[in-house]
Amino acid sequence: MGGVSSDSTQAYVGLGSNLQEPVRQVQRALEALARLSDTRSLRHSALYRSRPLGVAAQPDFVNAVAALETRLSPLALLRCLQHIEQQQGRVRHGVRWGPRTLDLDLLLFGEVQMQSPDLTLPHPDLHRRPFVLYPLYEIAPRLLIPGRGAVYELLTALSRDGLEVLNT
Ligand code: ROI
């Protein structure tokens, strides 16, 4: 939405899907993010194909990262992300680390560092996941992750592990 003023924060959201037309799932979620109230969508990365982390016997994932500017609180934004997941018929197959229709992770919320039962910021696995760090680097190459360091330095420790940019 327009009119996002100076009391707004830049937030980064990770998107992932490996069920029910993953490319379409991620595209629909990007559209839904752009429609959030009190929030403006700034840019997003390309869509990437990635090997599944966790349970290996599941389809490849499609991943992307979006940058938003928002006046929502971190928890209000998290609730919006969960709502979008539900709208897109999120199916969890009961397996931890297993396949999913749509996963939206709040990766970063400005400089906020917090740990609560509902939300940890920055996202605790962000710095070790190639399918998050490479797309993040694409849209914010100089970004600093509070408590972790610069994205471009974190990347040097991480192989691309089969990560591929998709032509969409
Ligand atoms: N693996 C990849 N490649 N991408 C994801 O988004 C992803 N999400 C997950 C698990 C199941 C841990 N593995 C993933 O939640």
Side-chain angles (χ1 to χ4, degrees):
M1 298 292 135
V4 176
S5 77
S6 57
D7 56 340
S8 62
T9 306
Q10 278 206 25
Y12 291 86
V13 175
L15 302 92
S17 169
N18 75 339
L19 290 178
Q20 296 174 330
E21 298 187 67
V23 168
R24 186 75 199 109
Q25 294 291 344
V26 169
Q27 286 170 338
R28 278 179 61 200
L30 288 168
E31 289 161 17
L33 290 174
R35 287 193 301 267
L36 288 180
S37 64
D38 295 313
T39 301
R40 198 158 62 97
S41 175
L42 298 176
R43 58 197 179 281
H44 63 79
S45 71
L47 273 52
Y48 290 73
R49 183 202 316 282
S50 64
R51 294 205 188 107
L53 178 89
V55 177
Q58 59 176 317
D60 283 350
F61 276 80
V62 173
N63 286 108
V65 170
L68 309 176
E69 187 169 57
T70 187
R71 291 163 71 180
L72 300 172
S73 70
L75 280 173
L77 179 56
L78 179 68
R79 301 268 143 65
C80 290
L81 300 183
Q82 290 166 344
H83 182 72
I84 296 170
E85 288 176 343
Q86 273 145 29
Q87 291 268 306
Q88 292 189 214
R90 175 166 179 153
V91 181
R92 278 186 189 257
H93 282 220
V95 190
R96 191 162 185 240
W97 305 104
R100 58 263 333 274
T101 314
L102 179 65
D103 205 8
L104 297 179
D105 288 335
L106 185 48
L107 302 172
L108 291 161
F109 194 92
E111 309 278 297
V112 173
Q113 300 191 55
M114 67 179 270
Q115 266 184 296
S116 80
D118 291 337
L119 181 59
T120 298
L121 288 170
H123 188 286
D125 298 320
L126 155 63
H127 59 290
R128 41 175 170 252
R129 294 187 161 180
F131 57 84
V132 175
L133 272 195
Y134 279 89
L136 189 56
Y137 177 75
E138 180 196 326
I139 62 170
R142 286 190 289 273
L143 188 69
L144 301 177
I145 300 175
R148 298 280 178 207
V151 168
Y152 62 84
E153 283 182 7
L154 293 165
L155 264 193
T156 62
L158 216 59
S159 120
R160 283 182 75 100
D161 191 29
L163 195 68
E164 262 177 54
V165 174
L166 287 171
N167 287 311
T168 50

